[in-house]
Amino acid sequence: MATIRLTAAQALVRFLAAQRVERDGATHRFFGGCFGIFGHGNVAGIGQALLQHPDLLPYHQGRNEQAMVHAAVGYARMRNRLGALACTSSIGPGATNMVTGAALATINRLPVLLLPGDVFAGHVPDPVLQQIEVPWAGYESGDAVFRPVSRYFERLSRPEQVIPAALQAMRVLTSAVETGAVTLSFPQDVQAEAFDCPADFLSERTWHVARAVPEPDELAAAVEAIRGSKRPLVVAGGGVIYSEATGPLRAFCEATGIPVGETQAGKGSLPYDHPSNLGAIGATGTFAANRVAASADLVIGIGTRYSDFTTASKTAFRDPGVRFVNVNVADFDAAKHAGLRVVGDARVALEQLTEALEGWWVEDGYRAEAARLNEEWDAEVDRLYTLGHGPLPAQSEVIGAVNDAAGAAGIIVCAAGAMPGDLHKLWRTRDPKGYHVEYGYSCMGYEIPGGLGVKMAAPERDVYVLVGDGSYLMMPGELVTAVQEGVKLTVVLVDNHGFNSIGALSRSLGLDGFGTQYRYARNGTPVLDGDEHPPAQLPLDLEQNAASLGATARRVATIDDLREALEHAKSDRQTTVIVVEVDRYEGVPGYESWWDVPVAEVSELESVQRVREEYEAARATERRYL
Ligand SMILES: Cc1ncc(C[n+]2csc(CCOP(=O)(O)OP(=O)(O)O)c2C)c(N)n1
Ligand SMILES: [Mg+2]
């Protein structure tokens, strides 16, 4: 067998560059490149390998390791999991900085390959700079913290271990069931150590992404359940979009008249104005979806993990006899709520269900009810888009202006704060990939790096990043990367002087917005909303901040100015940040739903005692689906 003498890092880089992925006959290169920040834990190993063959894996410099992983997640989601980026870091803090990104990727079931550096496998110079010593386990290192947040973890203690580990990594990354963060912890000495690498390991390899066909008995049981239902409702999750099942979903709805509620990851499964689309479902849902959910007798979950936001903490589905049919590639998700499992690919399952249900449809009145609710909801969106609120505009009007600017081809990116809930309700989706809200981990700081990854995956589309002032301050650094890489983003920075979402949550829990505003600290006195003499706001100049990082930055005061600035940004070739201040008290209401956040059972605060009573009443409506 022919071999080539390579370092472990060189072998891995050459292997990654040779991986391809194929679904439905279309084949692509899997890795689009490698983000990296170098330190002593990776510069001489992976750094050397990337430098030696820059054509193999294009290198992108990041500002923060967590942000590199966010960018890789944005990229993978935009590619419907058929493409990914690798991330290399040094040891110690560089490595552990990626842990949050790993958790985010895993929870959202999106493939990222993480290559944190690790301490010397040979342990000769121990302890090296940044080495966490575990007194009871000499072999253990800080990289062990990746284990619970990775779908596959391996420590490469010898160079030849690259071979089985890399093959396992590819198996997991390209598996719809198992995908998430894959971590190959790479000791700094092993990266640079040579071995006789089999030439075959480096040759082009294509990974087929299967479309699992549901078992006939499971499908038949689902068909029977649907035929026996009066008010069935589809809950469309991210799996519909990743499996490119939006066309078959539409055909299924048009044939059967079954309406659809969308999760955050599933938003865009149907266009917003399709008569079967009830829009967002659950805690951040529309009245349209939540009303139908309340009386649905059969919930057909497709590609959803049923987070508490989707089920409104298990209060959304109120019919006493409600049952679940769950179409999912992962048995783990299909089994939720004691559902009838249909384990398989969303697209295949929808096509088969449509065929098996031919000639069956819901009562005309139910179909008409959905179409009417779709229109009524859109009127509510119109109202909120055009409130004309003053002197500061409302956040819903900002969303309306960005939605108009984005049109059908633009992509909205967001992750945390008050915006994801408002976007879930109000964003008019016109394209399955036009809505990108990371709400599995809802990680503050994802917005700008996530948007960067989206744009790298789809350079031909305009990417709009909506980011709160709190999220912006956590992670603005990747604006520099966007400028450096010539990747254009249009960032709308919504300034409300702090954590508005948590402020509103805090007020609803009787806590008066404690600790959620950006104000000077006053010794020992909590900063409360209702305070007659609240300390002054912090002198932040977010526009100058963005400008200092290389973006074109503007502050606008009105919605008209925002529209004008968005129009202007379209012709600008570089990244723009538009700062707009909104009225923090003019929020979008909730629509007939609830979210379980525990309230103190005993408290000296009268406001909390009152809320506790309401909480106990609401809690009583929370149920188990068995
Ligand atoms: C990393 C991280 N820390 C904390 C939270 C909890 N959290 C959710 S929203 C939020 C405030 C977000 O503030 P901002 O970005 O200004 O958005 P706003 O709430 O004002 O809309 C916080 C602290 C989180 N989601 N992510
Ligand atoms: Mg804010």
Side-chain angles (χ1 to χ4, degrees), residues 178-189:
E178 291 189 44
T179 198
V182 165
T183 305
L184 302 182
S185 172
F186 217 164
Q188 53 188 118
D189 51 346

Side-chain angles (χ1 to χ4, degrees), residues 172-215:
V172 174
L173 288 167
T174 57
S175 156
V177 182
E178 291 189 44
T179 198
V182 165
T183 305
L184 302 182
S185 172
F186 217 164
Q188 53 188 118
D189 51 346
V190 180
Q191 287 184 36
E193 203 175 322
F195 74 119
D196 294 318
C197 180
D200 285 350
F201 176 63
L202 306 173
S203 37
E204 199 171 282
R205 202 175 293 264
T206 300
W207 298 80
H208 171 65
V209 178
R211 291 194 177 276
V213 179
E215 205 221 1

Side-chain angles (χ1 to χ4, degrees), residues 259-262 269-280 288 370 373-374 429:
V260 174
E262 296 173 323
S269 291
L270 288 181
Y272 80 97
D273 52 358
H274 190 281
S276 297
N277 194 356
L278 303 170
L373 282 166
N374 170 277
T429 42

Side-chain angles (χ1 to χ4, degrees), residues 163-299:
I163 295 172
L167 292 167
Q168 285 298 327
M170 282 308 298
R171 176 188 67 76
V172 174
L173 288 167
T174 57
S175 156
V177 182
E178 291 189 44
T179 198
V182 165
T183 305
L184 302 182
S185 172
F186 217 164
Q188 53 188 118
D189 51 346
V190 180
Q191 287 184 36
E193 203 175 322
F195 74 119
D196 294 318
C197 180
D200 285 350
F201 176 63
L202 306 173
S203 37
E204 199 171 282
R205 202 175 293 264
T206 300
W207 298 80
H208 171 65
V209 178
R211 291 194 177 276
V213 179
E215 205 221 1
D217 286 356
E218 289 187 352
L219 197 87
V223 168
E224 198 188 318
I226 295 170
R227 284 181 182 275
S229 68
K230 287 262 174 261
R231 295 178 65 84
L233 169 68
V234 164
V235 174
V240 173
I241 292 172
Y242 301 143
S243 128
E244 293 170 359
T246 54
L249 175 68
R250 188 180 181 140
F252 173 81
C253 295
E254 288 172 0
T256 62
I258 300 179
V260 174
E262 296 173 323
T263 72
Q264 282 278 14
K267 192 168 159 80
S269 291
L270 288 181
Y272 80 97
D273 52 358
H274 190 281
S276 297
N277 194 356
L278 303 170
I281 192 163
T284 50
T286 66
F287 60 65
N290 285 341
R291 263 176 223 168
V292 172
S295 60
D297 58 355
L298 186 74
V299 178

Side-chain angles (χ1 to χ4, degrees), residues 4 51 75-76 134 141 163 178 199 223 326 340 352 364 382 429 434:
I4 311 173
L51 169 70
Y75 181 93
V134 182
S141 82
I163 295 172
E178 291 189 44
V223 168
N326 299 325
L340 271 177
Q352 292 192 348
D364 289 350
D382 249 339
T429 42

Side-chain angles (χ1 to χ4, degrees), residues 424-481:
H424 194 206
K425 291 172 210 168
L426 303 184
W427 190 258
R428 286 174 169 154
T429 42
R430 301 171 172 97
D431 171 274
K433 298 307 294 179
Y435 184 84
H436 185 120
V437 174
E438 187 283 297
Y439 216 63
Y441 217 43
S442 186
C443 185
M444 288 171 74
Y446 173 86
E447 297 85 350
I448 292 171
L452 174 72
V454 170
K455 180 74 178 174
M456 286 169 72
E460 71 287 0
R461 295 182 68 163
D462 283 339
V463 176
Y464 292 85
V465 173
L466 266 179
V467 60
D469 50 334
S471 283
Y472 176 82
L473 285 172
M474 267 203 195
M475 206 162 272
E478 255 47 44
L479 280 178
V480 178
T481 313

Side-chain angles (χ1 to χ4, degrees), residues 470-493:
S471 283
Y472 176 82
L473 285 172
M474 267 203 195
M475 206 162 272
E478 255 47 44
L479 280 178
V480 178
T481 313
V483 171
Q484 178 179 33
E485 297 273 342
V487 171
K488 177 193 159 181
L489 303 175
T490 303
V491 179
V492 178
L493 200 172

